[in-house]
Amino acid sequence: MCGIVGYIGTQTAVSILLGGLERLEYRGYDSAGIATIDEGILRCVRAKGKLYNLREKLEHDVNPARIGIGHTRWATHGKPEEHNAHPHRDNDGSVAVVQNGIVENYQSLREELIAKGHIFRSETDTEVIPHLISEYLPEEGDDSDGLLNAVTKAVNRLEGAFALAIIGVDYPDELIVVRQNAPIIIGFGQGEFFCASDVTALIPHTHAILYLENGEIARLTPLGAEIYDFKGKRLRKTPKILDWSHSTVEKQGYRHFMLKEIHEQPDVVRLCLDTYLQLGWNSENGKNVNPIKLNLPETFYENLEYVQILACGTSWHASLIGKYLIEQLAGIPTLVQYASEFRYAPSPILPNTITIGVTQSGETADTLAALETEKYRRVGLEDKYRARILGITNRPESTLANMVDEIINTQAGIEVGVAATKSFTAQLIGFYLLALDLAYRRRGLSLQRLEELIEGLKALPGQIETLLEGQAKSIEELTHEFNDTQDFIFVGRGINFPIALEGALKLKEISYIHAEGYPAGELKHGPIALLDAKVPVIAIAMPGKVYDKVLSNAQEAKARDARLLGVVVDNDRAAAEVFDNLLYVPQVDEILSPILSVIPLQLLSYHIAAKRGLDVDQPRNLAKSVTVE
Ligand code: F6R
């Protein structure tokens, strides 16, 4: 969603702002703008559409300003037009504001300000903020705390979730940054400070980062950073040093981030396993040692009866597989809910429950709000109902990580492509580890089976490499046959049903082709009516409990003239008889197979979209970090 960058220091602000906004492009946006102050003039330039439109407007304008704010906007209130793009200004253009979030009481504030003579030029909620700040500014700009005080008064009147960066023409040495339920960070450089909605914008400039917390305001000047609460009390804070490397936000020779991230999956799986597997657990000395070291406190497991998982989108698909694993391996009843639904219709409070929030960005508004709901409805209840909240994420610095009791860091790092790939497989590994941890503690599996599964997990990175080397080319070639295809059906059963959902989601989000995922056995209960020679069916047919059933469901589709593609294991002769095209993965235990079966589907979606010349990394209407509800 919207991206924010701010700068104050000794370098030219415009190039830093544009560079930062480019690194935030992946979040999704439909207009962009910057505001700077130089020689007593506040200049604001905005453009609809992609950043190159903004760059073009700035091309012939030499602007040596050393302070500025920038924004990429993903429209919520008001169409994606230039007049709605940020920054927004007050009546006389002396205060400029960029916002990520939603000011819920903007209508009443707008009416109040209009009555006082303020003129509004956009339909956005954000525009009330500069007008409100200007109401509180001292008549003369000679009060050194004037901007900070005015912002403090203004933000106390705003309701909703917002992150702000603000500059004022009478305060050319101050950049004010505010956080209330929407993420924003401060970067510390040498004689310079940055702010951004996401660490990716700052990686090339600094690794010293301060995460503002809710209800905090930062005043950045070339001389230092001061942090206050909304009452104006000064706070003491220390930045952290992050170890993200610059290369995580570079394409490194790949045509798209998505393709790079698909190829990063072996390393991500390896790193996650290395982090949480206990070496030597099955050696002579290691007998009776838990093979998994998630480092969760023992109180988390006490009398555990239920697991409840909250997530959205692809993370919800990973959670469905998590449910399968926790129930089938550890025998613990598990609920999975869309976070956006749970907020307004939470299931009854269960005792002795671990609640898990799953999110790659760590910032999805619905997931965070659902977890808050869960946390607060348990406050004051007897001990067996106390909240035990766990996050599964690749962003250990995110809002999620700061609000939950514990996290499993899936080690996938930053994912730039909007379509989740490596973050999904990493979430799955997180769930395998958790399910095996719980199974070990409950003695739900024999040691032999545990060992088999752990050895199977350790083999996965090499198997993904083999799959990528062996299949990438043939899958790319296969996509030529779908130039005009408008609908796809994906089917799977058991642990691979969520992979059918994920395959369909990947395809529709980046190629804009209509696709549906179904449990294979449900095909005949309705969706089969959609099938004809123009609708290919992709079945995930991994050897195991449901293999024969999937093949017979696939036959039902074939009998309706559908073209059949099968995701199958190497050397599956029976499958070769049934399917028109085969997407092979290495031989694998059924329960581990989703980690492999999803990869041909990721590649298929990628190549179909890339071949259609679509913007794979930033598909239309989508955002990487969905910070609105
Ligand atoms: C799909 C995708 C989205 C996200 C969803 C939740 O490729 O990326 O469906 O999975 O927006 O996002 P997170 O995981 O950040 O909570």
Side-chain angles (χ1 to χ4, degrees):
M1 301 254 141
C2 308
I4 292 178
V5 186
Y7 177 75
I8 182 162
T10 50
Q11 303 188 58
T12 311
V14 175
S15 58
I16 294 200
L17 297 175
L18 287 174
L21 292 179
E22 255 160 28
R23 280 181 292 278
L24 293 180
E25 277 191 296
Y26 78 101
R27 292 168 65 100
Y29 70 105
D30 35 45
S31 58
I34 63 167
T36 53
I37 301 173
D38 185 50
E39 296 192 338
I41 298 170
L42 191 154
R43 267 192 268 186
C44 184
V45 181
R46 304 177 295 176
K48 182 181 164 177
K50 292 287 181 192
L51 270 178
Y52 50 73
N53 296 339
L54 180 66
R55 271 198 185 277
E56 228 166 60
K57 281 191 163 184
L58 291 163
E59 218 164 47
H60 305 293
D61 176 21
V62 181
N63 181 348
R66 308 275 183 243
I67 177 171
I69 53 179
H71 192 260
T72 44
R73 172 174 188 257
W74 190 86
T76 56
H77 293 62
K79 284 188 180 261
E81 297 293 344
E82 183 176 324
H83 69 279
N84 285 328
H86 299 210
H88 289 285
R89 285 160 296 167
D90 61 328
N91 266 4
D92 58 10
S94 62
V95 175
V97 174
V98 292
Q99 192 218 178
N100 189 3
I102 291 179
V103 178
E104 282 165 7
N105 58 336
Y106 82 102
Q107 279 293 9
S108 60
L109 289 171
R110 192 174 164 120
E111 280 157 28
E112 174 189 319
L113 289 159
I114 288 172
K116 287 186 174 153
H118 290 261
I119 296 163
F120 281 77
R121 298 172 180 89
S122 79
E123 291 96 55
T124 66
D125 55 324
T126 305
E127 198 184 352
V128 296
I129 305 171
H131 288 278
L132 197 57
I133 293 171
S134 72
E135 274 291 305
Y136 295 123
L137 279 173
E139 288 293 313
E140 300 292 328
D142 53 6
D143 170 0
S144 61
D145 284 338
L147 185 60
L148 177 68
N149 283 336
V151 170
T152 307
K153 284 182 186 148
V155 295
N156 274 290
R157 298 211 46 214
L158 304 180
E159 289 166 17
F162 47 86
L164 311 172
I166 302 151
I167 53 174
V169 72
D170 294 327
Y171 304 86
D173 293 324
E174 283 182 46
L175 167 59
I176 309 277
V177 185
V178 181
R179 173 183 171 136
Q180 180 68 320
N181 293 318
I184 193 148
I185 58 171
I186 309 293
F188 290 63
Q190 301 270 336
E192 59 186 359
F193 291 91
F194 308 81
C195 71
S197 46
D198 188 325
V199 71
T200 42
L202 303 190
I203 287 176
H205 302 293
T206 177
H207 285 193
I209 302 289
L210 177 71
Y211 288 85
L212 276 194
E213 286 175 40
N214 290 336
E216 290 185 349
I217 304 179
R219 170 160 64 180
L220 310 178
T221 71
L223 299 178
E226 303 151 18
I227 315 293
Y228 299 87
D229 66 15
F230 277 16
K231 295 200 176 85
K233 185 172 150 236
R234 180 101 185 245
L235 306 170
R236 283 176 156 273
K237 308 283 279 191
T238 331
K240 287 189 199 163
I241 305 297
L242 295 187
D243 61 0
W244 299 122
S245 92
H246 197 162
S247 65
T248 51
V249 288
E250 303 289 322
K251 286 195 196 126
Q252 293 178 314
Y254 286 95
R255 194 168 151 212
H256 294 101
F257 279 107
M258 182 179 173
L259 192 58
K260 174 189 167 216
E261 287 157 359
I262 290 173
H263 281 85
E264 279 172 355
Q265 291 178 110
D267 285 342
V268 166
V269 171
R270 208 171 270 129
L271 183 59
C272 190
L273 293 175
D274 284 352
T275 310
Y276 295 114
L277 283 182
Q278 183 72 54
L279 284 180
W281 73 279
N282 50 355
S283 67
E284 212 31 57
N285 307 335
K287 287 273 177 289
N288 298 322
V289 170
N290 186 341
I292 315 294
K293 45 170 177 103
L294 293 176
N295 306 322
L296 306 178
E298 285 307 313
T299 48
F300 245 64
Y301 302 96
E302 254 169 28
N303 305 319
L304 183 61
E305 287 183 76
Y306 301 100
V307 174
Q308 161 175 273
I309 313 176
L310 304 171
C312 300
T314 286
S315 298
W316 185 78
H317 297 158
S319 306
L320 294 179
I321 293 178
K323 169 186 163 74
Y324 188 101
L325 295 172
I326 295 167
E327 291 188 339
Q328 301 305 316
L329 298 177
I332 303 174
T334 301
L335 305 177
V336 182
Q337 276 160 292
Y338 281 121
S340 52
E341 292 294 322
F342 178 87
R343 294 184 61 189
Y344 303 102
S347 46
I349 303 189
L350 294 167
N352 298 317
T353 301
I354 294 181
T355 299
I356 309 176
V358 186
T359 157
Q360 58 78 27
S361 62
E363 304 295 348
T364 299
D366 282 318
T367 306
L368 300 182
L371 292 172
E372 286 283 310
T373 307
E374 185 57 16
K375 200 158 149 183
Y376 287 109
R377 72 181 180 149
R378 287 176 183 263
V379 171
L381 300 185
E382 59 181 294
D383 192 52
K384 68 177 180 178
Y385 291 109
R386 75 173 191 280
R388 307 173 197 187
I389 314 245
L390 172 68
I392 297 187
T393 186
N394 42 303
R395 301 297 295 264
E397 78 298 347
S398 62
T399 307
L400 168 100
N402 285 310
M403 72 177 282
V404 297
D405 302 316
E406 302 293 333
I407 65 160
I408 296 176
N409 175 359
T410 66
Q411 308 290 338
I414 293 171
E415 186 174 66
V416 177
V418 162
T421 52
K422 65 171 181 171
S423 66
F424 173 73
T425 39
Q427 288 168 351
L428 294 188
I429 296 294
F431 275 120
Y432 280 103
L433 294 166
L434 179 64
L436 290 177
D437 178 28
L438 294 171
Y440 175 84
R441 287 166 186 272
R442 303 195 143 216
R443 304 283 177 255
L445 288 178
S446 67
L447 281 182
Q448 191 198 342
R449 181 67 179 138
L450 201 56
E451 195 159 1
E452 246 170 50
L453 289 176
I454 289 175
E455 289 311 307
L457 282 172
K458 291 205 291 209
L460 287 171
Q463 291 180 311
I464 305 173
E465 276 159 0
T466 310
L467 194 171
L468 290 170
E469 277 160 27
Q471 290 290 301
K473 200 82 219 127
S474 56
I475 292 176
E476 183 176 358
E477 279 159 13
L478 181 64
T479 56
H480 294 281
E481 305 190 22
F482 302 113
N483 286 345
D484 302 317
T485 307
Q486 290 180 358
D487 306 271
F488 271 89
I489 303 281
F490 291 73
V491 293
R493 276 182 101 132
I495 196 164
N496 277 297
F497 158 55
I499 296 299
L501 295 178
E502 177 59 8
L505 179 62
K506 283 296 85 100
L507 185 66
K508 57 189 149 192
E509 67 186 338
I510 59 171
S511 70
Y512 318 140
I513 294 174
H514 169 245
E516 302 289 345
Y518 290 104
E522 285 295 300
L523 208 54
K524 57 187 167 299
H525 297 290
I528 201 160
L530 296 172
L531 300 186
D532 62 25
K534 289 203 227 98
V535 183
V537 172
I538 304 188
I540 301 138
M542 295 288 108
K545 274 195 257 190
V546 291
Y547 173 78
D548 291 335
K549 300 281 169 225
V550 174
L551 283 200
S552 72
N553 298 142
Q555 301 273 21
E556 289 156 16
K558 198 170 182 174
R560 271 84 194 168
D561 295 332
R563 173 172 186 166
L564 270 191
L565 290 88
V567 180
V568 301
V569 294
D570 290 336
N571 303 322
D572 181 342
R573 299 231 166 107
E577 305 285 306
V578 175
F579 293 103
D580 299 310
N581 298 94
L582 294 162
L583 310 173
Y584 285 112
V585 305
Q587 289 282 351
V588 63
D589 193 316
E590 183 184 31
I591 205 152
L592 301 176
S593 64
I595 297 277
L596 300 183
S597 61
V598 74
I599 291 170
L601 303 184
Q602 295 171 343
L603 287 169
L604 188 74
S605 304
Y606 169 77
H607 286 298
I608 289 179
K611 183 151 190 305
R612 291 184 180 210
L614 298 169
D615 191 346
V616 173
D617 286 331
Q618 292 161 42
R620 70 184 182 204
N621 304 338
L622 294 183
K624 186 68 184 159
S625 192
V626 184
T627 51
V628 294
E629 295 165 20

